[in-house]
Amino acid sequence: MAKHTIQIPSNFIMGAAASAWQTEGWSGKKEGQDSYLDQWYKNDRYVWHNGYGPAVATDFYNRYTEDIALMKQIGLTHYRTSINWSRFLTDYENVVVDEAYADYMGRVIDELIASGVEPMLCLEHYEVPAYLMDKYEGWSSKHVVELFVKYAEKVFERYGDRVKHWFTFNEPIVVQTRVYLDALRYPYEQNTRKWMQWNYNKTLATAKCVQLFKAKNYSQHGAKIGVILNPEVTYARSSAPHDQHAAHVYDLFYNRVFLDPLIKGEYPQELFDLMGKHDIAFEATTEELAVIKKNTVDYVGINLYYPHRVKAQSKAWNENTPFHPSYYYEHFDLPGKRMNKSRGWEIYPKIIYDMGMRIKNEYHNIEWFVAENGMGIENEVAFKNEEHIIQDDYRIDFITEHLYYTLQAVEAGSNCTGYMLWAFTDNVSPMNAFKNRYGLVEINLDNDRSRHLKKSGYWYQATIKERSFVADLDEEYK
């Protein structure tokens, strides 16, 4: 192993992320303010690990001052979370603000700023209101697009004087992929055309919010609006044309479906061709596509955890099933890969460098940052020392390697401005609940959800303070 001391640029973001629904809990929530996640949990609770879900979560709603004090102690430069759309309003059609929740959000923002932590806010992190799911099938409807923009306008009016970092969505592809493409989550409907319509409508909603943001001139005070995406860095099994084509089509359906219109303002023609061929095209008008063209994002956050590997489809397609992009590919299990065995994900830190080079070379070198990167581990209590501090050296190693490749991308000219860890504290994940822990800070479920820094929390604190870290890189032939 070779030790390298890596310097972190002075203006480089070193933060952490979470979301409203994964932390707040239901304290203070009014009847009729369920989000899609709340609805899923209530209707399908048995699939959530050990029954934990968004009902209490980390109780951030009541304990935000305690958590923000820990953020200040660690030295986070930025903290990203979401505003819970389902709780910010009491009437989604008439856009009536819940003053109690809006006041809470204002206090969180003020506390962050007073503590030297820059707030970054998403307008939706899976929190589409259950009311809109029931009445309009959520993002299937163009009406929901208009309601979202009206909601965004209310949010900008409240906090636009203080918040400089805005994002429309976190991972806009995820909910519909789990529900309508793969039918893995409530309400379990396999409908590829609906999947594509959700993808398009969220892109349109982002463009309309950017249009609103510009019209209201929030950018004159240095504020920016973007989106948080989770493109999967995709590698073909081999250099053979059939495997390369499989990776190319995967990239079209899962990555470029958002990257291209949101950054370049246009969808790839090849995607339109494939949607037409398989009769899954979304409904779009010339006027809407013009709005998308003219209102691209200022910057993007990219969530990166693991690589995605594919090969050409090896089995004949069942024509009795609806089209699925896996018509063109199947997953490839790379022999000998490094694994996070708790999560079942491959560890390949170079994905960040490769994504950075792609953004530099294919997407106008737009400003971007790592919006999420982290390691979820099960049963972390087993790693406590005599002082009851979790010795998560595995997380420190994971962050070190990924941060190293992030800064390698910066050195190679990619316009990457920061690194955000998922997550600040342990929090609830869909279905997995508190099974896999991601935090710098432990949430002790057996002791009133008490908070305790892990070894990684102290390491992150020292790294931010010193603006440097030591990376042990395996560069030797053995």
Side-chain angles (χ1 to χ4, degrees), residues 334-443:
L334 179 70
K337 63 185 180 294
R338 289 173 60 193
M339 288 289 291
N340 172 358
K341 295 178 181 178
S342 286
R343 193 65 181 88
W345 288 350
E346 181 182 349
I347 299 174
Y348 188 66
K350 192 172 177 284
I351 56 172
I352 297 185
Y353 179 85
D354 289 345
M355 178 56 69
M357 293 303 96
R358 182 175 193 187
I359 291 173
K360 176 186 175 184
N361 296 324
E362 298 179 32
Y363 291 98
H364 315 310
N365 207 16
I366 190 173
E367 180 185 344
W368 73 285
F369 63 98
V370 178
E372 288 181 23
N373 175 245
M375 187 180 203
I377 294 292
E378 191 173 356
N379 193 31
E380 282 198 319
V381 68
F383 298 96
K384 285 191 174 181
N385 65 5
E386 296 81 2
E387 288 79 38
H388 304 290
I389 297 171
I390 292 172
Q391 303 296 293
D392 54 341
D393 294 274
Y394 44 83
R395 179 168 292 109
I396 295 170
D397 292 342
F398 183 96
I399 299 170
T400 296
E401 289 187 82
H402 287 79
L403 186 54
Y404 168 78
Y405 276 105
T406 303
L407 295 170
Q408 286 291 105
V410 173
E411 192 172 313
S414 186
N415 190 16
C416 178
T417 57
Y419 176 90
M420 303 283 286
L421 186 69
W422 186 272
F424 168 60
T425 66
D426 296 335
N427 55 35
V428 174
S429 296
M431 296 176 69
N432 277 320
F434 284 105
K435 179 183 179 184
N436 294 303
R437 303 302 189 94
Y438 284 88
L440 297 168
V441 178
E442 175 198 8
I443 299 292

Side-chain angles (χ1 to χ4, degrees), residues 276-292:
K277 176 182 177 180
H278 296 287
D279 194 27
I280 58 164
F282 49 69
E283 294 180 6
T285 67
T286 303
E287 293 76 17
E288 290 168 350
L289 292 172
V291 171
I292 291 170

Side-chain angles (χ1 to χ4, degrees), residues 203-255:
T203 294
L204 178 62
T206 295
K208 284 179 172 282
C209 286
V210 171
Q211 186 180 46
L212 171 69
F213 196 82
K214 291 177 179 176
K216 297 290 186 179
N217 210 18
Y218 289 107
S219 57
Q220 70 174 331
H221 303 299
K224 294 180 288 190
I225 185 167
V227 66
I228 309 291
L229 301 177
N230 59 316
E232 296 177 334
V233 183
T234 307
Y235 302 99
R237 169 183 59 173
S238 78
S239 60
H242 51 279
D243 284 338
Q244 291 292 315
H245 182 65
H248 176 73
V249 175
Y250 186 94
D251 187 52
L252 274 173
F253 275 109
Y254 293 97
N255 299 337

Side-chain angles (χ1 to χ4, degrees), residues 60-116:
F60 184 82
Y61 187 88
N62 294 306
R63 302 176 70 163
Y64 68 88
T65 55
E66 181 181 356
D67 283 346
I68 293 172
L70 289 170
M71 295 178 204
K72 182 178 181 179
Q73 178 183 340
I74 292 172
L76 298 187
T77 64
H78 294 66
Y79 176 67
R80 177 174 68 86
T81 187
S82 59
I83 295 174
N84 192 328
W85 179 12
S86 67
R87 295 191 61 175
F88 188 78
L89 303 175
T90 56
D91 183 332
Y92 308 110
E93 302 283 1
N94 298 302
V95 204
V96 178
V97 174
D98 183 325
E99 293 298 335
Y101 184 82
D103 177 68
Y104 150 77
M105 278 306 312
R107 286 183 277 114
V108 168
I109 291 166
D110 290 344
E111 187 76 15
L112 285 166
I113 293 170
S115 300

Side-chain angles (χ1 to χ4, degrees), residues 98-365:
D98 183 325
E99 293 298 335
Y101 184 82
D103 177 68
Y104 150 77
M105 278 306 312
R107 286 183 277 114
V108 168
I109 291 166
D110 290 344
E111 187 76 15
L112 285 166
I113 293 170
S115 300
V117 182
E118 189 79 17
M120 308 174 97
L121 294 181
C122 280
L123 295 171
E124 199 240 62
H125 189 130
Y126 312 168
E127 297 114 347
V128 57
Y131 166 87
L132 300 179
M133 288 290 290
D134 291 339
K135 188 166 184 179
Y136 303 110
E137 295 186 320
W139 286 102
S140 302
S141 167
K142 299 283 181 69
H143 180 60
V144 170
V145 172
E146 299 307 317
L147 293 180
F148 183 76
V149 177
K150 291 177 181 178
Y151 150 65
E153 185 171 16
K154 294 287 188 181
V155 172
F156 294 155
E157 288 172 357
R158 293 279 174 142
Y159 314 120
D161 62 329
R162 287 165 283 169
V163 178
K164 306 303 181 186
H165 296 274
W166 291 101
F167 308 94
T168 51
F169 297 95
N170 176 83
E171 299 184 345
I173 199 171
V174 166
V175 171
Q176 63 269 27
T177 299
R178 303 289 185 263
V179 173
Y180 296 117
L181 185 64
D182 297 329
L184 295 172
R185 295 179 182 173
Y186 177 87
Y188 309 104
E189 178 189 346
Q190 210 290 309
N191 187 325
T192 310
R193 184 193 294 273
K194 191 176 291 186
W195 175 65
M196 288 304 308
Q197 194 65 53
W198 272 53
N199 290 339
Y200 173 74
N201 285 351
K202 288 183 179 181
T203 294
L204 178 62
T206 295
K208 284 179 172 282
C209 286
V210 171
Q211 186 180 46
L212 171 69
F213 196 82
K214 291 177 179 176
K216 297 290 186 179
N217 210 18
Y218 289 107
S219 57
Q220 70 174 331
H221 303 299
K224 294 180 288 190
I225 185 167
V227 66
I228 309 291
L229 301 177
N230 59 316
E232 296 177 334
V233 183
T234 307
Y235 302 99
R237 169 183 59 173
S238 78
S239 60
H242 51 279
D243 284 338
Q244 291 292 315
H245 182 65
H248 176 73
V249 175
Y250 186 94
D251 187 52
L252 274 173
F253 275 109
Y254 293 97
N255 299 337
R256 293 182 66 190
V257 67
F258 282 104
L259 284 167
D260 280 41
L262 291 173
I263 298 174
K264 296 180 176 180
E266 293 180 333
Y267 286 92
Q269 181 58 46
E270 188 178 357
L271 183 61
F272 282 118
D273 294 342
L274 286 172
M275 289 192 296
K277 176 182 177 180
H278 296 287
D279 194 27
I280 58 164
F282 49 69
E283 294 180 6
T285 67
T286 303
E287 293 76 17
E288 290 168 350
L289 292 172
V291 171
I292 291 170
K293 175 72 174 175
K294 293 176 183 176
N295 296 282
T296 53
V297 294
D298 294 328
Y299 63 157
V300 288
I302 304 290
N303 296 347
L304 294 162
Y305 289 93
Y306 56 89
H308 198 84
R309 303 184 187 275
V310 297
K311 60 182 179 178
Q313 181 60 264
S314 61
K315 300 179 291 295
W317 188 256
N318 181 355
E319 298 296 340
N320 295 318
T321 63
F323 170 77
H324 187 288
S326 60
Y327 179 94
Y328 292 98
Y329 71 86
E330 60 186 56
H331 299 292
F332 173 59
D333 187 13
L334 179 70
K337 63 185 180 294
R338 289 173 60 193
M339 288 289 291
N340 172 358
K341 295 178 181 178
S342 286
R343 193 65 181 88
W345 288 350
E346 181 182 349
I347 299 174
Y348 188 66
K350 192 172 177 284
I351 56 172
I352 297 185
Y353 179 85
D354 289 345
M355 178 56 69
M357 293 303 96
R358 182 175 193 187
I359 291 173
K360 176 186 175 184
N361 296 324
E362 298 179 32
Y363 291 98
H364 315 310
N365 207 16

